[in-house]
Amino acid sequence: MEINIQLKSLADKINQLKSKIETEESTKHAFVLPFIHILGYDAFNPLEVVPEFTADLGLKKGEKVDYAIFQNGEPIIIVECKSWKEKLTIHNSQLFRYFHVTKTRFALLTNGITYQFFTDLDAQNKMDEKPFLEFDITNLKENTINEIAKFHKTNFNVDNIVNNASSLKYIKEIKKQINAELENPSNDFTKLFANKVYSGRLTEKVVDEFKDLVQKSVSQYINDKINDRLNAALTKETIKQQDEDITIVAEDNKVNTTEEELDAYRIVVAILRRKLPTNRIVHRDTQSYFGVLLDDNNRKPLCRLHLNGSKKYISLFNDNKNETKLAISGIDDIYQFEKELLETVTLYETE
């Protein structure tokens, strides 16, 4: 399963369960360990994931960090966990103390929802005070998922991640500055634009007036760009749908629906009517297959039947809408796939 699907599944689980999770220990088991598993590490293998990892810190003996993830016998990520209800603060964290006595280059502070990854960009072998990667697992962007994937067991490369960490750190800080300027433009930011459009002297009063103008201009510019993208996407989708409709009409003119296909369709309807009104189950015959659709929507296939060749098949669809083609000896075999057909209905009901 792709990592983005696994992360989405964990996010859904967190949203469903967090109100029932009361302790830090429960947070670890319900949220953090599944995340470690998504990264490809076996939480039940002490050669890969060590709970309550201990490293002697000078005169201070026996202090523990919640988990250490190992590769080739060395810790590569140390993990400190908090309850999902707690805000994360790096101050007084044991990660600082553990970082310099282990060979790891990465530390993770998490409450199972917010994840903060640290390294030693500012001073070698001393953990930075600011994370280079931070995210809320219930609200992930595609670029963040790509960064998380770099920590997967099969992709893990210390040099690659560290080299990229500096860029991530500065991008994160720059985005914060941009957000601050958009909410409350500074004098310098205001003057940057005012100097290009105002020919008079930039007095304090003029700068104050331009702050509001700059803020409105930037806001309108962003909204215009968003609307342009949405309109372009909608236009593209409309053209695509029109092309599909034209193709379907062209195919329909060449298709000869057989009585066997209609009998098979009646069997499918008999199965699906347990969950659907019959008027929502529609057939559409093409040159390649006889399709059964939900709401006459070709993006919601319930099954496909291939009955015109020397061998007969039924195509079913899984959770990811991937098609699986299965051989049948005759249309009566369709009854064998009652469970799968009904599960396909459930798939579209959750969209």
Side-chain angles (χ1 to χ4, degrees):
M1 190 185 296
E2 293 183 7
I3 192 169
N4 60 327
I5 298 173
Q6 293 176 308
L7 289 168
K8 174 66 167 58
S9 177
L10 178 56
D12 291 341
K13 176 184 175 184
I14 289 170
N15 286 326
Q16 292 170 9
L17 294 182
K18 66 182 182 181
S19 62
K20 300 178 178 63
I21 301 297
E22 299 293 338
T23 66
E24 179 181 308
E25 202 63 29
S26 297
T27 300
K28 292 180 192 176
H29 287 284
F31 302 161
V32 180
L33 285 178
F35 178 79
I36 291 173
H37 175 73
I38 289 172
L39 295 183
Y41 300 98
D42 183 357
F44 300 101
N45 181 351
L47 299 179
E48 289 193 355
V49 180
V50 178
E52 299 295 308
F53 177 63
T54 304
D56 290 336
L57 304 171
L59 297 175
K60 205 163 188 177
K61 308 291 183 181
E63 279 203 38
K64 296 178 174 63
V65 71
D66 292 302
Y67 298 105
I69 299 174
F70 275 69
Q71 200 171 80
N72 301 322
E74 297 289 348
I76 58 171
I77 308 173
I78 52 175
V79 184
E80 183 175 335
C81 304
K82 303 295 182 184
S83 166
W84 75 269
K85 297 179 180 180
E86 290 185 47
K87 289 186 177 180
L88 297 181
T89 172
I90 198 61
H91 299 294
N92 301 319
S93 169
Q94 292 181 169
L95 291 176
F96 274 121
R97 300 191 289 277
Y98 270 81
F99 195 88
H100 78 277
V101 296
T102 67
K103 294 182 179 180
T104 183
R105 293 293 302 277
F106 304 106
L108 169 60
L109 179 64
T110 180
N111 60 8
I113 297 177
T114 301
Y115 286 76
Q116 296 178 343
F117 282 87
F118 298 82
T119 188
D120 56 351
L121 296 172
D122 296 334
Q124 188 173 2
N125 206 30
K126 180 182 178 183
M127 195 179 90
D128 298 335
E129 291 193 7
K130 292 183 177 181
F132 68 89
L133 177 62
E134 181 175 4
F135 56 85
D136 180 333
I137 198 170
T138 64
N139 185 28
L140 287 175
K141 306 290 190 298
E142 185 177 351
N143 61 323
T144 304
I145 294 173
N146 293 335
E147 297 303 327
I148 296 171
K150 292 174 183 176
F151 285 92
H152 193 278
K153 181 180 177 181
T154 57
N155 303 326
F156 189 83
N157 181 292
V158 173
D159 292 335
N160 288 346
I161 299 175
V162 170
N163 290 338
N164 191 48
S166 179
S167 296
L168 288 175
K169 177 180 177 181
Y170 287 118
I171 288 171
K172 176 170 170 281
E173 293 303 314
I174 290 170
K175 285 167 71 176
K176 283 184 179 178
Q177 292 301 316
I178 292 173
N179 185 64
E181 293 287 5
L182 294 182
E183 289 186 354
N184 185 23
S186 65
N187 286 351
D188 288 341
F189 188 74
T190 303
K191 289 177 182 179
L192 175 67
F193 296 99
N195 273 322
K196 295 180 183 297
V197 298
Y198 184 71
S199 58
R201 181 168 167 266
L202 291 179
T203 63
E204 185 177 342
K205 181 181 178 182
V206 171
V207 171
D208 284 341
E209 290 174 353
F210 263 94
K211 279 187 179 182
D212 185 54
L213 294 174
V214 167
Q215 189 176 35
K216 287 180 179 177
S217 299
V218 172
S219 178
Q220 288 177 16
Y221 175 79
I222 292 172
N223 287 334
D224 288 345
K225 293 300 265 185
I226 292 172
N227 287 331
D228 287 346
R229 287 199 170 193
L230 286 174
N231 289 332
L234 288 171
T235 301
K236 185 177 179 181
E237 185 65 23
T238 300
I239 293 171
K240 181 181 176 184
Q241 182 63 52
Q242 288 172 346
D243 288 344
E244 288 176 352
D245 291 342
I246 291 169
T247 301
I248 289 167
V249 170
E251 285 186 343
D252 285 346
N253 292 333
K254 300 177 183 178
V255 168
N256 179 31
T257 302
T258 66
E259 192 60 37
E260 183 181 36
E261 288 173 328
L262 292 174
D263 286 342
Y265 169 66
R266 294 181 189 107
I267 292 173
V268 174
V269 171
I271 293 171
L272 294 178
R273 67 186 304 171
R274 293 172 52 191
K275 279 200 170 185
L276 291 169
T278 56
N279 63 348
R280 296 187 66 192
I281 309 167
V282 179
H283 70 76
R284 187 180 290 178
D285 203 356
T286 72
Q287 288 182 288
S288 305
Y289 56 81
F290 182 93
V292 183
L293 308 172
L294 177 63
D295 299 329
D296 202 16
N297 186 337
N298 60 4
R299 292 182 181 79
K300 295 183 178 182
L302 296 167
C303 70
R304 289 173 180 169
L305 300 165
H306 309 262
L307 304 176
N308 293 331
S310 57
K311 294 184 178 179
K312 303 180 189 298
Y313 301 91
I314 181 172
S315 289
L316 301 170
F317 296 86
N318 63 15
D319 291 350
N320 301 321
K321 298 184 184 177
N322 293 324
E323 181 178 355
T324 302
K325 198 173 180 180
L326 303 166
I328 56 176
S329 58
I331 62 174
D332 287 339
D333 286 355
I334 295 172
Y335 287 109
Q336 298 176 15
F337 302 103
E338 177 179 353
K339 179 173 177 286
E340 290 83 354
L341 287 166
L342 293 172
E343 286 177 349
T344 304
V345 176
T346 304
L347 166 66
Y348 297 125
E349 286 176 343
T350 58
E351 288 188 342

